Amino acid sequence: MHFSIISVVPELLESPLGHSVIRRARDWGLLEIECIDLRTFGLGAYRQVDDYPYGGGAGMVLMAEPLVNCIEALKSKRSYDLVIYLTPDGERFDQHMANRLSLQHNLMLICGHYKGIDQRVRDHWVNLEVSIGDYVLSGGEIAACALVDAVGRLIPGVLNDETSALSDSFQDGLLAPPVYTRPAEFQGLPVPDILLSGHQVRIEDWRHEQALQRTTERRPDILRD
Ligand code: SAM
């Protein structure tokens, strides 16, 4: 799977996409991530990428021309399934969307900055707008990293144990059950006996009950869905 990420601060993408599971996926050739500095498509001697908003008001807007030049340059090299703009007023990102996107091959992500990007780019070059939650970040880079991480770990072969992602929260409509590791007792706090019993069927039943209880208490909205 290939991601092309357009950003005015590509340095922000380096660490989250350069370590742990995503780093391994890249090393193994399961995931390609290309970060493009929008300024290389900037206009004039100063590589301008932003300008004042028409109608006045605070903040700058990323201009259409550098963005479209960048999008078209990327499209001339590969065919993209989707061009995604990260934005707080987009469709809410969740595990269902992550599952859906993990089936695609080539995704382009546009990170906004300042007040956002010129609306004409959104109207004519973007196919999907995605929000990672009802709050406003300074730029789309953190949102892009969240999306790439959540989608990337679903690609077959990326996780050591393929079944691991299936037992994570939201995959089966439930939150994940509690987990414990050694020692069996820590500062007088024991691990539930059932987990030490060796009865795999009963352990799975217990986990399911715990997941159900946790979801009922914390996210009854998921159960209703
Ligand atoms: N003026 C915009 C608004 O009120 O909707 C917010 C602009 S925000 C300061 C700058 C950029 O951060 C946006 O263009 C977007 O790319 C990104 N961003 C901010 N919050 C986000 C969120 N919740 N989900 C996805 N991207 C977000």
Side-chain angles (χ1 to χ4, degrees):
M1 182 168 192
H2 179 100
F3 283 97
S4 298
I5 310 177
I6 303 172
S7 161
V8 281
V9 200
E11 299 81 7
L12 281 173
L13 301 163
E14 280 168 16
S15 178
L17 303 179
H19 297 278
S20 184
V21 171
I22 296 302
R23 158 82 186 273
R24 210 171 54 217
R26 296 175 78 173
D27 288 349
W28 290 348
L30 298 168
L31 189 58
E32 283 175 9
I33 302 173
E34 170 191 21
C35 300
I36 302 99
D37 186 345
L38 183 62
R39 286 187 199 282
T40 58
F41 291 85
L43 308 181
Y46 295 104
R47 298 272 174 218
Q48 185 183 358
V49 292
D50 57 337
D51 211 334
Y52 294 100
Y54 274 122
M60 303 296 273
V61 177
L62 289 181
M63 300 160 79
E65 189 176 343
L67 259 176
V68 170
N69 287 344
C70 180
I71 293 169
E72 295 299 350
L74 290 170
K75 280 184 174 175
S76 71
K77 286 189 278 177
R78 71 176 63 236
S79 151
Y80 287 89
D81 300 303
L82 288 169
V83 176
I84 299 172
Y85 174 47
L86 284 314
T87 175
D89 58 2
E91 189 182 329
R92 179 72 70 84
F93 187 62
D94 62 10
Q95 195 62 37
H96 294 296
M97 196 192 288
N99 290 340
R100 233 168 53 221
L101 294 179
S102 74
L103 302 176
Q104 305 294 343
H105 300 290
N106 292 298
L107 296 178
M108 190 189 302
L109 306 184
I110 302 173
C111 305
H113 225 79
Y114 317 118
K115 294 302 277 182
I117 69 174
D118 190 301
Q119 183 61 40
R120 290 167 289 190
V121 181
R122 299 176 64 168
D123 291 342
H124 297 284
W125 279 269
V126 168
N127 315 115
L128 176 66
E129 299 193 324
V130 175
S131 163
I132 64 160
D134 287 350
Y135 42 81
V136 177
L137 301 163
S138 310
E141 290 75 12
I142 291 172
C145 290
L147 186 149
V148 171
D149 190 293
V151 171
R153 65 198 298 283
L154 296 175
I155 298 168
V158 169
L159 294 183
N160 286 330
D161 178 354
E162 299 255 316
T163 58
S164 177
L166 297 177
S167 61
D168 285 331
S169 290
F170 309 112
Q171 279 297 9
D172 53 2
L174 295 175
L175 299 180
V179 291
Y180 300 85
T181 186
R182 286 185 288 183
E185 187 173 316
F186 173 68
Q187 295 192 357
L189 303 168
V191 166
D193 285 341
I194 181 73
L195 294 177
L196 310 176
S197 70
H199 293 295
Q200 210 49 48
V201 174
R202 278 163 50 193
I203 290 173
E204 288 314 319
D205 285 348
W206 179 85
R207 284 182 171 149
H208 183 71
E209 275 167 32
Q210 292 289 317
L212 204 55
Q213 185 182 329
R214 188 167 272 198
T215 313
T216 309
E217 287 166 6
R218 297 181 183 201
R219 293 294 302 274
D221 55 307
I222 303 180
L223 283 181
R224 276 198 303 275
D225 289 348

PDB file of all heavy atoms in Angstrom, residues 85-88 111-116 130-133 135-140 143, ligand 1:
ATOM      1  N   TYR A  85      -8.552  14.815   2.107  1.00  0.00           N
ATOM      2  CA  TYR A  85      -8.161  16.029   2.840  1.00  0.00           C
ATOM      3  C   TYR A  85      -8.527  15.838   4.307  1.00  0.00           C
ATOM      4  O   TYR A  85      -9.674  15.504   4.634  1.00  0.00           O
ATOM      5  CB  TYR A  85      -8.894  17.246   2.259  1.00  0.00           C
ATOM      6  CG  TYR A  85      -8.675  18.526   3.037  1.00  0.00           C
ATOM      7  CD1 TYR A  85      -7.410  18.932   3.432  1.00  0.00           C
ATOM      8  CD2 TYR A  85      -9.755  19.348   3.369  1.00  0.00           C
ATOM      9  CE1 TYR A  85      -7.211  20.102   4.145  1.00  0.00           C
ATOM     10  CE2 TYR A  85      -9.571  20.524   4.082  1.00  0.00           C
ATOM     11  CZ  TYR A  85      -8.289  20.888   4.469  1.00  0.00           C
ATOM     12  OH  TYR A  85      -8.101  22.046   5.181  1.00  0.00           O
ATOM     13  N   LEU A  86      -7.541  16.016   5.198  1.00  0.00           N
ATOM     14  CA  LEU A  86      -7.791  15.928   6.632  1.00  0.00           C
ATOM     15  C   LEU A  86      -8.355  17.256   7.085  1.00  0.00           C
ATOM     16  O   LEU A  86      -7.726  18.305   6.878  1.00  0.00           O
ATOM     17  CB  LEU A  86      -6.479  15.642   7.379  1.00  0.00           C
ATOM     18  CG  LEU A  86      -5.869  14.233   7.362  1.00  0.00           C
ATOM     19  CD1 LEU A  86      -6.912  13.163   7.643  1.00  0.00           C
ATOM     20  CD2 LEU A  86      -5.130  13.944   6.087  1.00  0.00           C
ATOM     21  N   THR A  87      -9.525  17.224   7.694  1.00  0.00           N
ATOM     22  CA  THR A  87     -10.173  18.479   8.083  1.00  0.00           C
ATOM     23  C   THR A  87     -11.192  18.223   9.196  1.00  0.00           C
ATOM     24  O   THR A  87     -11.858  17.182   9.202  1.00  0.00           O
ATOM     25  CB  THR A  87     -10.889  19.116   6.857  1.00  0.00           C
ATOM     26  OG1 THR A  87     -11.612  20.272   7.289  1.00  0.00           O
ATOM     27  CG2 THR A  87     -11.849  18.166   6.169  1.00  0.00           C
ATOM     28  N   PRO A  88     -11.302  19.168  10.156  1.00  0.00           N
ATOM     29  CA  PRO A  88     -12.228  18.919  11.273  1.00  0.00           C
ATOM     30  C   PRO A  88     -13.689  18.788  10.847  1.00  0.00           C
ATOM     31  O   PRO A  88     -14.488  18.214  11.593  1.00  0.00           O
ATOM     32  CB  PRO A  88     -12.036  20.135  12.191  1.00  0.00           C
ATOM     33  CG  PRO A  88     -11.132  21.071  11.506  1.00  0.00           C
ATOM     34  CD  PRO A  88     -10.522  20.395  10.330  1.00  0.00           C
ATOM     35  N   CYS A 111      -2.538  17.538   4.065  1.00  0.00           N
ATOM     36  CA  CYS A 111      -2.586  18.139   5.400  1.00  0.00           C
ATOM     37  C   CYS A 111      -2.779  19.637   5.222  1.00  0.00           C
ATOM     38  O   CYS A 111      -1.959  20.292   4.572  1.00  0.00           O
ATOM     39  CB  CYS A 111      -1.270  17.909   6.133  1.00  0.00           C
ATOM     40  SG  CYS A 111      -0.797  16.186   6.240  1.00  0.00           S
ATOM     41  N   GLY A 112      -3.819  20.164   5.810  1.00  0.00           N
ATOM     42  CA  GLY A 112      -4.012  21.611   5.776  1.00  0.00           C
ATOM     43  C   GLY A 112      -3.159  22.286   6.837  1.00  0.00           C
ATOM     44  O   GLY A 112      -2.501  21.622   7.657  1.00  0.00           O
ATOM     45  N   HIS A 113      -3.144  23.600   6.818  1.00  0.00           N
ATOM     46  CA  HIS A 113      -2.453  24.373   7.846  1.00  0.00           C
ATOM     47  C   HIS A 113      -3.139  25.725   7.928  1.00  0.00           C
ATOM     48  O   HIS A 113      -3.978  26.049   7.074  1.00  0.00           O
ATOM     49  CB  HIS A 113      -0.975  24.533   7.483  1.00  0.00           C
ATOM     50  CG  HIS A 113      -0.095  24.284   8.664  1.00  0.00           C
ATOM     51  ND1 HIS A 113       0.230  23.019   9.110  1.00  0.00           N
ATOM     52  CD2 HIS A 113       0.503  25.135   9.534  1.00  0.00           C
ATOM     53  CE1 HIS A 113       1.003  23.125  10.164  1.00  0.00           C
ATOM     54  NE2 HIS A 113       1.184  24.392  10.455  1.00  0.00           N
ATOM     55  N   TYR A 114      -2.800  26.519   8.915  1.00  0.00           N
ATOM     56  CA  TYR A 114      -3.391  27.858   9.076  1.00  0.00           C
ATOM     57  C   TYR A 114      -4.920  27.728   9.113  1.00  0.00           C
ATOM     58  O   TYR A 114      -5.454  26.929   9.856  1.00  0.00           O
ATOM     59  CB  TYR A 114      -2.901  28.801   7.974  1.00  0.00           C
ATOM     60  CG  TYR A 114      -1.422  28.683   7.692  1.00  0.00           C
ATOM     61  CD1 TYR A 114      -0.952  28.281   6.448  1.00  0.00           C
ATOM     62  CD2 TYR A 114      -0.487  28.935   8.703  1.00  0.00           C
ATOM     63  CE1 TYR A 114       0.416  28.161   6.202  1.00  0.00           C
ATOM     64  CE2 TYR A 114       0.875  28.813   8.461  1.00  0.00           C
ATOM     65  CZ  TYR A 114       1.320  28.427   7.213  1.00  0.00           C
ATOM     66  OH  TYR A 114       2.659  28.286   6.973  1.00  0.00           O
ATOM     67  N   LYS A 115      -5.625  28.469   8.226  1.00  0.00           N
ATOM     68  CA  LYS A 115      -7.101  28.391   8.224  1.00  0.00           C
ATOM     69  C   LYS A 115      -7.616  27.241   7.364  1.00  0.00           C
ATOM     70  O   LYS A 115      -8.821  27.009   7.278  1.00  0.00           O
ATOM     71  CB  LYS A 115      -7.722  29.703   7.715  1.00  0.00           C
ATOM     72  CG  LYS A 115      -7.506  30.898   8.604  1.00  0.00           C
ATOM     73  CD  LYS A 115      -8.037  30.686  10.010  1.00  0.00           C
ATOM     74  CE  LYS A 115      -9.519  30.961  10.130  1.00  0.00           C
ATOM     75  NZ  LYS A 115      -9.955  30.771  11.546  1.00  0.00           N
ATOM     76  N   GLY A 116      -6.706  26.551   6.692  1.00  0.00           N
ATOM     77  CA  GLY A 116      -7.126  25.441   5.840  1.00  0.00           C
ATOM     78  C   GLY A 116      -6.687  25.663   4.401  1.00  0.00           C
ATOM     79  O   GLY A 116      -5.777  26.453   4.139  1.00  0.00           O
ATOM     80  N   VAL A 130     -11.757  13.835   5.808  1.00  0.00           N
ATOM     81  CA  VAL A 130     -11.736  13.009   7.019  1.00  0.00           C
ATOM     82  C   VAL A 130     -11.341  13.851   8.229  1.00  0.00           C
ATOM     83  O   VAL A 130     -10.352  14.579   8.193  1.00  0.00           O
ATOM     84  CB  VAL A 130     -10.718  11.847   6.849  1.00  0.00           C
ATOM     85  CG1 VAL A 130     -10.593  11.048   8.132  1.00  0.00           C
ATOM     86  CG2 VAL A 130     -11.127  10.945   5.700  1.00  0.00           C
ATOM     87  N   SER A 131     -12.115  13.672   9.303  1.00  0.00           N
ATOM     88  CA  SER A 131     -11.801  14.320  10.584  1.00  0.00           C
ATOM     89  C   SER A 131     -11.406  13.252  11.583  1.00  0.00           C
ATOM     90  O   SER A 131     -12.002  12.169  11.602  1.00  0.00           O
ATOM     91  CB  SER A 131     -13.044  15.052  11.100  1.00  0.00           C
ATOM     92  OG  SER A 131     -12.896  15.337  12.477  1.00  0.00           O
ATOM     93  N   ILE A 132     -10.413  13.539  12.432  1.00  0.00           N
ATOM     94  CA  ILE A 132     -10.103  12.550  13.470  1.00  0.00           C
ATOM     95  C   ILE A 132     -10.792  12.890  14.788  1.00  0.00           C
ATOM     96  O   ILE A 132     -10.568  12.223  15.789  1.00  0.00           O
ATOM     97  CB  ILE A 132      -8.587  12.324  13.667  1.00  0.00           C
ATOM     98  CG1 ILE A 132      -7.893  13.595  14.161  1.00  0.00           C
ATOM     99  CG2 ILE A 132      -7.942  11.815  12.406  1.00  0.00           C
ATOM    100  CD1 ILE A 132      -6.540  13.292  14.811  1.00  0.00           C
ATOM    101  N   GLY A 133     -11.633  13.895  14.816  1.00  0.00           N
ATOM    102  CA  GLY A 133     -12.370  14.179  16.043  1.00  0.00           C
ATOM    103  C   GLY A 133     -12.820  15.619  16.100  1.00  0.00           C
ATOM    104  O   GLY A 133     -12.355  16.458  15.323  1.00  0.00           O
ATOM    105  N   TYR A 135     -12.249  18.462  17.412  1.00  0.00           N
ATOM    106  CA  TYR A 135     -11.334  19.434  18.006  1.00  0.00           C
ATOM    107  C   TYR A 135     -10.463  19.930  16.864  1.00  0.00           C
ATOM    108  O   TYR A 135     -10.409  19.291  15.809  1.00  0.00           O
ATOM    109  CB  TYR A 135     -10.474  18.804  19.119  1.00  0.00           C
ATOM    110  CG  TYR A 135      -9.970  17.444  18.767  1.00  0.00           C
ATOM    111  CD1 TYR A 135      -8.851  17.282  17.962  1.00  0.00           C
ATOM    112  CD2 TYR A 135     -10.643  16.301  19.198  1.00  0.00           C
ATOM    113  CE1 TYR A 135      -8.401  16.034  17.606  1.00  0.00           C
ATOM    114  CE2 TYR A 135     -10.204  15.044  18.845  1.00  0.00           C
ATOM    115  CZ  TYR A 135      -9.088  14.912  18.050  1.00  0.00           C
ATOM    116  OH  TYR A 135      -8.652  13.657  17.683  1.00  0.00           O
ATOM    117  N   VAL A 136      -9.800  21.050  17.079  1.00  0.00           N
ATOM    118  CA  VAL A 136      -9.026  21.643  15.979  1.00  0.00           C
ATOM    119  C   VAL A 136      -7.531  21.551  16.272  1.00  0.00           C
ATOM    120  O   VAL A 136      -7.048  22.061  17.291  1.00  0.00           O
ATOM    121  CB  VAL A 136      -9.447  23.105  15.738  1.00  0.00           C
ATOM    122  CG1 VAL A 136      -8.598  23.734  14.647  1.00  0.00           C
ATOM    123  CG2 VAL A 136     -10.927  23.164  15.348  1.00  0.00           C
ATOM    124  N   LEU A 137      -6.821  20.876  15.377  1.00  0.00           N
ATOM    125  CA  LEU A 137      -5.363  20.779  15.454  1.00  0.00           C
ATOM    126  C   LEU A 137      -4.758  21.936  14.652  1.00  0.00           C
ATOM    127  O   LEU A 137      -5.442  22.538  13.820  1.00  0.00           O
ATOM    128  CB  LEU A 137      -4.901  19.459  14.840  1.00  0.00           C
ATOM    129  CG  LEU A 137      -5.464  18.183  15.473  1.00  0.00           C
ATOM    130  CD1 LEU A 137      -5.283  17.000  14.544  1.00  0.00           C
ATOM    131  CD2 LEU A 137      -4.792  17.925  16.805  1.00  0.00           C
ATOM    132  N   SER A 138      -3.474  22.190  14.864  1.00  0.00           N
ATOM    133  CA  SER A 138      -2.822  23.280  14.123  1.00  0.00           C
ATOM    134  C   SER A 138      -2.606  22.921  12.660  1.00  0.00           C
ATOM    135  O   SER A 138      -2.536  23.777  11.797  1.00  0.00           O
ATOM    136  CB  SER A 138      -1.466  23.605  14.738  1.00  0.00           C
ATOM    137  OG  SER A 138      -1.610  23.773  16.116  1.00  0.00           O
ATOM    138  N   GLY A 139      -2.447  21.622  12.404  1.00  0.00           N
ATOM    139  CA  GLY A 139      -2.215  21.175  11.037  1.00  0.00           C
ATOM    140  C   GLY A 139      -2.720  19.756  10.863  1.00  0.00           C
ATOM    141  O   GLY A 139      -3.004  19.060  11.849  1.00  0.00           O
ATOM    142  N   GLY A 140      -2.787  19.307   9.616  1.00  0.00           N
ATOM    143  CA  GLY A 140      -3.328  17.970   9.342  1.00  0.00           C
ATOM    144  C   GLY A 140      -2.333  16.839   9.564  1.00  0.00           C
ATOM    145  O   GLY A 140      -2.691  15.664   9.417  1.00  0.00           O
ATOM    146  N   ALA A 143      -3.228  14.297  12.260  1.00  0.00           N
ATOM    147  CA  ALA A 143      -4.397  13.536  11.775  1.00  0.00           C
ATOM    148  C   ALA A 143      -3.963  12.520  10.714  1.00  0.00           C
ATOM    149  O   ALA A 143      -4.409  11.366  10.721  1.00  0.00           O
ATOM    150  CB  ALA A 143      -5.438  14.501  11.206  1.00  0.00           C
TER     151      ALA A 143
HETATM  152  N1  SAM B   1     -10.296  26.741  10.015  1.00  0.00           N
HETATM  153  C1  SAM B   1     -10.445  25.311  10.081  1.00  0.00           C
HETATM  154  C2  SAM B   1     -11.781  24.974  10.677  1.00  0.00           C
HETATM  155  O1  SAM B   1     -12.224  25.693  11.607  1.00  0.00           O
HETATM  156  O2  SAM B   1     -12.372  23.955  10.282  1.00  0.00           O
HETATM  157  C3  SAM B   1      -9.353  24.686  10.936  1.00  0.00           C
HETATM  158  C4  SAM B   1      -7.996  24.790  10.352  1.00  0.00           C
HETATM  159  S1  SAM B   1      -6.818  23.944  11.321  1.00  0.00           S
HETATM  160  C5  SAM B   1      -6.179  25.202  12.332  1.00  0.00           C
HETATM  161  C6  SAM B   1      -5.519  23.642  10.194  1.00  0.00           C
HETATM  162  C7  SAM B   1      -5.537  22.269   9.565  1.00  0.00           C
HETATM  163  O3  SAM B   1      -5.416  21.271  10.537  1.00  0.00           O
HETATM  164  C8  SAM B   1      -6.778  21.913   8.779  1.00  0.00           C
HETATM  165  O4  SAM B   1      -6.743  22.450   7.494  1.00  0.00           O
HETATM  166  C9  SAM B   1      -6.737  20.410   8.783  1.00  0.00           C
HETATM  167  O5  SAM B   1      -5.930  19.916   7.724  1.00  0.00           O
HETATM  168  C10 SAM B   1      -6.054  20.085  10.099  1.00  0.00           C
HETATM  169  N2  SAM B   1      -6.975  19.644  11.159  1.00  0.00           N
HETATM  170  C11 SAM B   1      -7.304  20.335  12.260  1.00  0.00           C
HETATM  171  N3  SAM B   1      -8.141  19.652  13.040  1.00  0.00           N
HETATM  172  C12 SAM B   1      -8.365  18.476  12.431  1.00  0.00           C
HETATM  173  C13 SAM B   1      -9.158  17.340  12.742  1.00  0.00           C
HETATM  174  N4  SAM B   1      -9.911  17.295  13.849  1.00  0.00           N
HETATM  175  N5  SAM B   1      -9.148  16.301  11.881  1.00  0.00           N
HETATM  176  C14 SAM B   1      -8.409  16.338  10.761  1.00  0.00           C
HETATM  177  N6  SAM B   1      -7.631  17.390  10.404  1.00  0.00           N
HETATM  178  C15 SAM B   1      -7.611  18.460  11.218  1.00  0.00           C
END
